[in-house]
Amino acid sequence: MKSTVWRTVRAVREHTYLAVVSTGVITAALVLVGMFAMVTTNVRLVLGSWERDVHVSAYLRPGGSADAHTAVMQMLQSRPEVAAVKYVSEAEARAWMVERTPELAPVLDELGGDALPASLEITLRDGHTTPEALAAFVGSIREVGSFDDVDYGQEWVTRVDTFLSVLSALGVALGSFIGIAALFLVANTIHLVVYARRDELEIMRLVGATDRYILAPFVLEGAAQGAAAATLANALLWAAHRGLLSRLQEVLALALGGEGLRYLPWWGVGAMYAAGMVLGVGASWGAVRRFLGRLP
Amino acid sequence: MIRLYHVVKSYGEHDALHDVSLTIDKGEFVYVTGPSGAGKSTLLKLLYGAERPTSGKLLVGGVDVAAIPQHRLPQLRRNVGIVFQDFKLLPRRTVGANVALALEVVGAPAEQIRRRVPAVLNIVGLKEREDSLAGELSGGEQQRVAIARAIVNDPAVLFADEPTGNLDGGMAVEVMEILQAINLRGTTVLVATHDQGLMDRFPHRRVRFVGGRLVQTSARARA
Ligand SMILES: Nc1ncnc2c1ncn2[C@@H]1O[C@H](COP(=O)(O)OP(=O)(O)OP(=O)(O)O)[C@@H](O)[C@H]1O
Ligand SMILES: [Mg+2]
């Protein structure tokens, strides 16, 4: 029996143009979705770094002993939300302030040694930086009683959080739209491609081919086209990624804090292959089944 | 070989076939004739399972075609040969590949395909054209390729719907001679046609339809 592989190769040779069109359209769909995913990934990284920047400054009541400070730090460190606690002495606080605003140096001298209190800079773990979690955390450490004041840039946090939820909703909407558009594009094109081969389907049916026999090479071809399209789409996206990287180096360095523009993660690349093959196989299968359903 | 009991085929209100009962024996050559719209093609479609009767019973080689489940249809198609007015070949494949297709789908081994294809092409007088592209052949030659494909699996019965409809005189005669030769080898042959000249030249039993009704059936007759 002529193997499915052999019949698939024959089909591609007989209908090279159609195979190229199908592969091209799957590639276009994947590039579309992949580009969106890449942009989303990078935007998320930037925004994530903003969120991660949130930290809580707890100003220590003056006059506490070093032992007392250590005890408070240990207590904070043992809490699950806390990633790190850093002690900033009065001198360090002053040095930081003077470095930023040198004109302030004489004023600070005037005010004396304890104008800027010592503080604990608390960095929180990811997932504990929502406005609600922050408020709860800050409330609980206020009760400890070792601090004059606890400050966490409340407005900023709330604003970033709102911005992120709007952006994420937009992302989901746009992503779904792009995904559905890509799906339609591929399904309709492959429907036309199969339509161009309808005589072949009809003749196979007439001479007694089973549906499975007719479908097999279409399925295999769809899988191969999907894989080829994923490879092509990755090559194109990678080229785009490199191009953007070299052209927008400085801007990106600023926005992404030196991390640079990221490519899709490894599982994103894997997902492109999976999506390409599912698209190729699914669209061919669906189209052939539809035609077979109508044939005598 | 073929038996119809009170077969009705309706399309909506309209009966394409109306209460048809008919028996065709093994090895017969039968013309299905009648004016356009008489129901000739409909009868053949019912017999090779492209359409289902609205009521009645059809047996082809002992198989109840009306009741055959969809997934068993390929089995039926492998035991009947079908020839159409428009040949239904793949024009960009060779003559040999077109004939081989019918063997490929039944899973025939390569060796058998190599042996069988030239043999049937020889029967239809196209042995020399095995490697030509089907689309480059004349209409008459293409119809002979279609016949070769139809008989390559040695079917018990051959259905031909206006096989000479697209062919002029000389080519039509060649095709009829081939169909007759196939019939002489034992295959039951049903030819739907309204070509009076050909039926007179190659006389066989005729079953005549008008408006979906079987109006006349002549006795078995041989030239
Ligand atoms: N799929 C269909 N839907 C509706 N009506 C149909 C269908 N197929 C056939 N008919 C009708 O059934 C009747 C018989 O058609 P059929 O094709 O069997 O005629 P025929 O004898 O083969 O005619 P011709 O010589 O023109 O080929 C016609 O009136 C036709 O319009
Ligand atoms: Mg007809």
Side-chain angles (χ1 to χ4, degrees):
Chain A
M1 172 154 53
K2 296 291 188 187
S3 73
T4 302
V5 175
W6 186 88
R7 289 195 293 131
T8 308
V9 171
R10 173 171 69 182
V12 172
R13 276 171 42 187
E14 282 179 351
H15 310 281
T16 310
Y17 173 72
L18 297 181
V20 167
V21 169
S22 304
T23 310
V25 167
I26 301 173
T27 305
L30 292 178
V31 165
L32 217 63
V33 175
M35 190 59 101
F36 177 76
M38 195 161 89
V39 169
T40 313
T41 306
N42 282 287
V43 169
R44 259 178 217 282
L45 279 175
V46 177
L47 300 180
S49 73
W50 290 359
E51 258 199 336
R52 240 173 288 121
D53 262 0
V54 171
H55 41 208
V56 177
S57 303
Y59 299 99
L60 289 158
R61 209 156 263 167
S65 69
D67 281 352
H69 292 166
T70 314
V72 173
M73 280 178 77
Q74 269 167 3
M75 181 277 291
L76 287 172
Q77 230 135 23
S78 68
R79 295 190 53 147
E81 310 93 309
V82 174
V85 182
K86 185 171 163 253
Y87 177 76
V88 181
S89 69
E90 290 148 4
E92 279 164 346
R94 182 179 185 280
W96 184 82
M97 184 66 93
V98 168
E99 193 193 323
R100 290 196 127 194
T101 335
E103 307 85 65
L104 276 181
V107 183
L108 291 172
D109 286 339
E110 196 76 17
L111 287 170
D114 54 1
L116 293 171
S119 62
L120 297 180
E121 291 294 320
I122 305 162
T123 313
L124 295 171
R125 288 188 200 283
D126 287 354
H128 296 280
T129 51
T130 60
E132 300 77 32
L134 267 170
F137 174 73
V138 168
S140 75
I141 65 170
R142 275 199 175 117
E143 282 167 14
V144 171
S146 313
F147 307 113
D148 253 351
D149 192 12
V150 183
D151 169 16
Y152 68 100
Q154 190 167 357
E155 258 177 55
W156 162 252
V157 168
T158 313
R159 221 179 295 159
V160 168
D161 192 72
T162 312
F163 182 59
L164 284 186
S165 10
V166 171
L167 213 62
S168 145
L170 273 179
V172 169
L174 189 63
S176 318
F177 177 76
I178 290 177
I180 290 169
L183 213 65
F184 265 91
L185 183 71
V186 171
N188 285 325
T189 307
I190 291 194
H191 189 79
L192 288 177
V193 163
V194 172
Y195 180 78
R197 294 175 62 182
R198 67 196 178 286
D199 288 352
E200 206 178 318
L201 300 184
E202 186 188 353
I203 290 166
M204 301 259 275
R205 256 284 177 80
L206 278 175
V207 298
T210 58
D211 285 4
R212 183 202 290 249
Y213 182 88
I214 298 173
L215 274 163
F218 279 94
V219 166
L220 191 59
E221 190 180 339
Q225 286 170 352
T231 308
L232 267 171
N234 266 302
L236 289 172
L237 284 173
W238 180 253
H241 169 254
R242 301 301 304 181
L244 282 177
L245 207 58
S246 63
R247 216 152 296 171
L248 303 175
Q249 194 71 54
E250 290 96 60
V251 188
L252 290 171
L254 258 175
L256 295 164
E259 284 184 61
L261 188 64
R262 295 267 189 92
Y263 191 60
L264 294 172
W266 66 266
W267 56 263
V269 175
M272 289 251 275
Y273 274 88
M277 289 168 79
V278 166
L279 266 180
V281 170
S284 298
W285 172 280
V288 174
R289 279 238 73 103
R290 258 167 77 186
F291 279 106
L292 287 180
R294 281 188 228 134
L295 284 178
Chain B
M1 184 77 240
I2 294 169
R3 242 162 251 269
L4 283 81
Y5 299 98
H6 304 291
V7 169
V8 176
K9 176 63 184 175
S10 313
Y11 292 107
E13 298 280 278
H14 175 74
D15 281 1
L17 286 178
H18 188 81
D19 193 21
V20 176
S21 295
L22 177 67
T23 300
I24 293 168
D25 291 332
K26 188 167 161 44
E28 269 196 277
F29 191 118
V30 175
Y31 290 115
V32 179
T33 182
S36 184
K40 306 182 291 291
S41 299
T42 303
L43 174 71
L44 295 193
K45 283 179 193 160
L46 292 177
L47 289 172
Y48 61 79
E51 297 275 2
R52 305 280 167 143
T54 309
S55 65
K57 201 170 166 185
L58 289 105
L59 298 179
V60 176
V63 177
D64 185 355
V65 181
I68 200 169
Q70 186 69 26
H71 71 271
R72 299 258 304 141
L73 211 51
Q75 214 54 49
L76 171 74
R77 296 280 168 85
R78 293 167 189 196
N79 293 320
V80 304
I82 314 169
V83 174
F84 294 95
Q85 182 170 357
D86 60 354
F87 325 135
K88 297 208 192 293
L89 298 179
L90 294 170
R92 287 163 45 187
R93 285 196 197 166
T94 64
V95 167
N98 269 280
V99 176
L101 184 69
L103 289 165
E104 285 170 16
V105 305
V106 302
E111 190 272 327
Q112 188 192 335
I113 295 177
R114 268 196 302 277
R115 202 161 28 80
R116 192 78 185 116
V117 169
V120 284
L121 284 177
N122 196 32
I123 294 174
V124 299
L126 287 173
K127 199 174 171 201
E128 311 307 319
R129 307 302 302 271
E130 183 173 347
D131 296 323
S132 308
L133 290 183
E136 290 170 355
L137 268 52
S138 74
E141 288 169 328
Q142 291 195 34
Q143 191 59 298
R144 281 144 64 192
V145 176
I147 294 170
R149 184 183 63 197
I151 62 169
V152 74
N153 277 320
D154 263 329
V157 48
L158 182 69
F159 299 118
D161 193 351
E162 315 264 6
T164 58
N166 278 355
L167 307 177
D168 54 29
M171 290 186 187
V173 167
E174 275 176 14
V175 162
M176 286 306 299
E177 280 170 348
I178 290 168
L179 291 177
Q180 218 168 238
I182 289 165
N183 174 242
L184 284 175
R185 290 153 42 103
T187 307
T188 309
V189 176
L190 250 78
V191 178
T193 183
H194 45 217
D195 188 327
Q196 201 62 43
L198 276 183
M199 285 189 279
D200 290 343
R201 180 160 177 178
F202 300 94
H204 293 288
R205 180 182 169 196
R206 301 176 192 187
V207 294
R208 184 171 162 77
F209 287 84
V210 175
R213 288 167 199 273
L214 178 59
V215 294
Q216 187 186 4
T217 167
S218 67
R220 185 171 180 166
R222 271 274 154 81

